[in-house]
Amino acid sequence: MNQQASALVTAADISRLAGVTRATVSNWRRRHPDFPAPAGGTDTSPTYDVDAVRAWLSARGQLPDDTPADELRTALRTHPDDGRLALHLLPALLAAARLDRRKREALAELRDDALLRWARSAMADEADDIPGIGGPAYSADVAGPLRALVRCVVMDGAEAARDVLAERLLEDTGGTGTYRTPRPLADLMARLLTDSTGGFPASVLDPACGTGSLLAAAASAGATELRGQDVLATQAAQAAVGLRLSAPEAAVTVREGDSLRADAFKGLTADAVLCNPPYGVREWGHEELAYDQRWAYGVPPKGEPELAWVQHCLAHLAPRGRAVLLMPPAVAERTAGRRIRAQLVRDGALRAVISLPQGAATPLHIGLHLWVLERPDPQAEAPGTVLLVDAATSENRDLDWAAIDDTVLSAWRPFLADRDGFTGAPGIAGAVPITDLLNEAVDLTPARHIRTASRQTLRPALLARQASELYDQLHQAARDLTGLSSEGDWPPADDRPRDWRTATVADLLRGGALSLLRTAPGSRRTRSGQPLPQPEPELGGRPTLTATDVMKNRPASGTAADLSTGVALPLIQANDVLLTEMLRVGRGATARVVEPGETGCFLGPHLLLFRPDQRRLDPWFLAGFLSAEQNVNAAATGTSMIRVDPRRLRVPLLPLAEQQRYGSAFRRLHELRTAAHRADQAAEDVTRLLSTGLTGGALLPHGHGSA
């Protein structure tokens, strides 16, 4: 019997293997003649022998210890049918995740034949609920990858194992016009479903669910019935498994198929719909669906597939049910769609259009729109206005999701509570009368209606007073920044950077030097749909510190809706160290020590809390090294959703006195960063207000007479 060929890995695999960026791997290939030669692939996408790569990395000291996730990747690469195997391992992943830790650990120690029998039983039990799973049962040659999967679930968790399978499945998915919705955007879309009393719809449908990111956000917000459909079996399967892992109390139904041509939920009425429909797909079934009953607002032209998705979503809503869709900006203005847009506005089905900055979601070069729709109630009077919000302002140029959320929700919530009395925010948001929209073009682009403030809404004396107050804030922020930036003497180390012995967080946890706490996202109902017990009144009054609060270094802004119920809720204590678990696009993790006013708050989801033994670890020293870029990159897992594996983070082993010197330096850097942010925000606030006042005629330039 011939020995099995060594696995082939891509440059992306090598970067994960070595804990470096893909750019570093590219540099190695160019600068080191002894870097392994390609063993397959193409000129533009070569693959390499994994054993040769490991030997090269080991010789250079660049090969970290293999994690269970790395072992699973290698086991998949070694298998000749790795793409199909990754899909067929999903039932085993779900079954293993449902076992308690003791049973999972025992499972990893079974003989191959017993492990395969368990896996075949798991596939039989789970296959009906996971789209695209079929074909022959597990054969003998999958015992190795199967064991690696179970070990990954035991050591790194089910989500880490799912991310590894998702990496492999993504390689087999061609361009389809569909893209994963980033988690911050998915969370914002879900928040737009919350009613004026804070209630969240129980049943949510996503007819183009992809891998389930929008439904996962809905589950975190409180939805208990999740339904999704996707045209790609691999994405539908991942959604079914991912939702059962992240929302075990919810009722999950995911189907494979084209929702427009073959609606798996025909006749279903849901409380709400979230959808990021396929982008730019012209062959959506225009001819065969010309007489479909869903087109209540007009037959969508062939070049307007997004308006077909809009009407499909509305058809699945109960009266006054709400839908939020992510749309290309051209849908708001294209000539071919103006009649359908007009009818949506006239009937009160379109409630808001929100423009987002470029980079909020793929395609990154386009500023996408959110459309908020409601199924009109035939017994109610049609609304007279549509909310338009321009969140693509200069203050959001760095994709500051906290600022984007604040811009959108500070307009949507007051509008929802009092649609007739909503006054808007000059240059940002306004309730536009439908008569102003029902012109020949029916252009719904927010910036064209509300970016230039109406002169009637501006109050000159009030703007002048606000400008003076903002100038005072800017001057104070500038003084603070100048004082903190005066210390520039940072002496160099010796000829070479210092080299420390380090320990992983896992080692420190075992040694009792620190403890690790976290909480799960909120979930308000059981699978049966019954409300879960809410926190006790005296506990419910405590604020929740969220991941966004930590990134923005602002006071706790979360509520009980952000918390899980029925579980122990961690409370923040003095000298705790906070680290954001999810990585922001283009930025690393954020870590800091809690502020005095944050003690006693609940710990929000997606935050890691490290509680050091201060006799052994200085808190600011710990915060500085935990958030180091190279440290976080080496401990990051996942591709579609990148999170920090805290146990893999490393901390130098230094005497406490030396830790305190480093801690003092890290604290100064944190204060400098915070002061710079305050100064930047103050400058943005004052320039925006002054620009609005000058262009709206409410303020005069310096030196201009008042007469």
Side-chain angles (χ1 to χ4, degrees):
M1 184 176 181
N2 293 332
Q3 187 176 5
Q4 191 174 39
S6 178
L8 297 179
V9 292
T10 65
D13 295 324
I14 297 172
S15 70
R16 287 189 289 266
L17 189 64
V20 298
T21 65
R22 294 180 68 173
T24 300
V25 176
S26 297
N27 287 335
W28 287 344
R29 290 168 54 193
R30 290 194 304 268
R31 298 178 181 177
H32 298 281
D34 61 336
F35 190 84
T42 64
D43 290 341
T44 57
S45 183
T47 56
Y48 303 86
D49 182 282
V50 67
D51 292 335
V53 169
R54 283 179 176 277
W56 189 86
L57 291 172
S58 180
R60 293 179 53 83
Q62 292 283 348
L63 186 63
D65 294 337
D66 273 354
T67 66
D70 295 329
E71 293 173 359
L72 177 56
R73 289 189 185 95
T74 302
L76 286 173
R77 288 292 182 191
T78 306
H79 196 274
D81 193 11
D82 54 333
R84 186 173 179 81
L85 175 60
L87 180 64
H88 280 190
L89 284 177
L90 288 172
L93 166 62
L94 188 56
R98 287 174 171 168
L99 299 174
D100 61 38
R101 184 174 184 87
R102 181 181 59 81
K103 291 181 178 179
R104 286 199 299 264
E105 291 173 346
L107 191 64
E109 302 303 322
L110 291 178
R111 291 173 44 181
D112 285 0
D113 55 348
L115 185 61
L116 289 167
R117 283 197 301 272
W118 170 84
R120 290 163 186 155
S121 175
M123 175 173 278
D125 292 340
E126 307 286 357
D128 290 344
D129 294 329
I130 303 177
I133 301 297
Y138 297 109
S139 56
D141 64 345
V142 304
L146 185 60
R147 191 177 304 281
L149 173 78
V150 174
R151 287 175 176 165
C152 186
V153 173
V154 172
M155 300 301 295
D156 291 347
E159 291 187 350
R162 182 194 61 185
D163 285 341
V164 174
L165 299 183
E167 291 167 7
R168 183 61 193 89
L169 291 170
L170 183 63
E171 296 177 17
D172 291 338
T173 303
T176 63
T178 60
Y179 307 95
R180 182 178 180 88
T181 309
R183 183 57 188 264
L185 177 55
D187 288 341
L188 173 60
M189 293 174 67
R191 291 188 187 104
L192 291 171
L193 296 179
T194 305
D195 64 27
S196 57
T197 64
F200 197 84
S203 62
V204 179
L205 168 70
D206 184 349
C209 67
T211 57
S213 55
L214 286 173
L215 290 173
S220 294
T224 57
E225 298 175 25
L226 309 173
R227 296 181 177 91
Q229 183 172 356
D230 197 83
V231 68
L232 293 178
T234 55
Q235 295 203 69
Q238 291 179 73
V241 172
L243 291 171
R244 285 178 170 85
L245 291 175
S246 62
E249 296 296 333
V252 177
T253 306
V254 180
R255 297 288 181 258
E256 174 193 358
D258 184 333
S259 290
L260 294 183
R261 289 187 172 96
D263 187 0
F265 300 101
K266 191 171 184 179
L268 170 74
T269 299
D271 297 332
V273 175
L274 291 172
C275 189
N276 179 358
Y279 176 78
V281 179
R282 295 180 63 86
E283 299 301 324
W284 55 271
H286 172 260
E287 289 78 11
E288 64 257 46
L289 297 175
Y291 300 100
D292 197 284
Q293 294 183 351
R294 288 171 290 184
W295 314 145
Y297 301 90
V299 178
K302 184 175 182 179
E304 295 287 345
E306 294 84 6
L307 292 178
W309 285 99
V310 164
Q311 296 189 76
H312 174 82
C313 293
L314 283 168
H316 275 293
L317 287 173
R320 295 190 176 181
R322 192 177 304 150
V324 181
L325 281 76
L326 184 64
M327 305 286 275
V331 184
E333 61 175 340
R334 282 194 298 243
T335 302
R338 67 183 185 275
R339 288 189 177 88
I340 294 178
R341 292 198 300 271
Q343 197 62 41
L344 290 168
V345 170
R346 190 177 293 112
D347 288 2
L350 182 66
R351 301 307 305 121
V353 178
I354 300 162
S355 63
L356 299 171
Q358 293 181 3
T362 306
L364 299 177
H365 65 287
I366 295 175
L368 299 171
H369 288 178
L370 292 177
W371 282 30
V372 183
L373 302 120
E374 287 184 3
R375 179 79 176 265
D377 185 346
Q379 306 302 320
E381 182 181 355
T385 59
V386 175
L387 176 67
L388 300 182
V389 180
D390 182 13
T393 56
S394 60
E395 70 180 62
N396 296 329
R397 65 190 183 280
D398 293 328
L399 260 193
D400 184 339
W401 278 106
I404 295 170
D405 283 3
D406 183 64
T407 299
V408 173
L409 297 176
S410 63
W412 170 250
R413 287 169 176 165
F415 174 76
L416 187 63
D418 184 7
R419 302 182 186 191
D420 294 331
F422 179 73
T423 57
I428 298 176
V432 180
I434 62 172
T435 53
D436 292 353
L437 299 174
L438 293 175
N439 51 30
E440 183 177 353
V442 197
D443 189 342
L444 305 177
T445 305
R448 294 186 183 137
H449 292 274
I450 51 89
R451 183 167 289 179
T452 301
S454 171
R455 292 170 181 260
Q456 285 73 24
T457 64
L458 299 179
R459 298 167 60 185
L462 176 62
L463 258 66
R465 185 169 66 253
Q466 290 175 336
S468 177
E469 292 172 353
L470 288 176
Y471 259 121
D472 289 342
Q473 295 176 20
L474 177 59
H475 291 157
Q476 182 60 52
R479 286 192 293 270
D480 293 343
L481 182 59
T482 300
L484 288 167
S485 59
S486 61
E487 296 183 12
D489 183 17
W490 297 81
D494 295 331
D495 294 339
R496 300 178 60 185
R498 297 186 64 183
D499 189 15
W500 298 291
R501 284 196 312 116
T502 63
T504 64
V505 166
D507 294 332
L508 296 174
L509 291 171
R510 283 192 294 269
L514 56 78
S515 55
L516 173 63
L517 300 173
R518 67 177 88 192
T519 191
S523 179
R524 292 197 288 253
R525 293 176 182 266
T526 63
R527 186 162 186 165
S528 64
Q530 296 300 314
L532 283 166
Q534 293 299 309
E536 295 295 328
E538 63 270 23
L539 296 181
R542 295 177 185 268
T544 299
L545 190 71
T546 68
T548 302
D549 296 334
V550 172
M551 288 187 287
K552 298 293 293 179
N553 198 37
R554 68 185 186 191
S557 65
T559 65
D562 298 300
L563 299 170
S564 293
T565 54
V567 297
L569 300 174
L571 294 178
I572 296 171
Q573 298 180 9
N575 296 308
D576 285 343
V577 176
L578 303 168
L579 178 72
T580 52
E581 183 181 20
M582 312 301 294
L583 296 189
R584 301 175 68 184
V585 177
R587 300 187 185 182
T590 301
R592 64 172 174 83
V593 179
V594 302
E595 303 289 349
E598 295 167 346
T599 58
C601 294
F602 286 122
L603 180 71
H606 311 304
L607 276 177
L608 302 168
L609 187 151
F610 301 86
R611 185 163 292 160
D613 178 351
Q614 295 179 68
R615 296 169 299 180
R616 301 162 65 182
L617 287 171
D618 177 79
W620 274 108
F621 163 82
L622 185 63
F625 278 99
L626 287 179
S627 59
E629 183 178 2
Q630 64 273 23
N631 200 8
V632 169
N633 288 342
T637 62
T639 53
S640 54
M641 184 181 296
I642 303 175
R643 57 169 48 85
V644 178
D645 180 353
R647 295 175 179 271
R648 295 173 59 183
L649 294 168
R650 307 191 75 90
V651 179
L653 298 175
L654 298 178
L656 184 60
E658 191 168 4
Q659 290 183 37
Q660 291 168 344
R661 287 194 291 273
Y662 275 93
S664 177
F666 286 130
R667 181 164 193 158
R668 288 201 301 273
L669 294 179
H670 170 74
E671 292 170 347
L672 178 63
R673 186 183 298 113
T674 301
H677 174 76
R678 283 200 300 265
D680 178 66
Q681 187 61 55
E684 286 291 342
D685 290 343
V686 71
T687 54
R688 186 178 66 183
L689 184 136
L690 290 174
S691 177
T692 299
L694 290 168
T695 57
L699 297 178
L700 300 176
H702 278 297
H704 194 289
S706 58

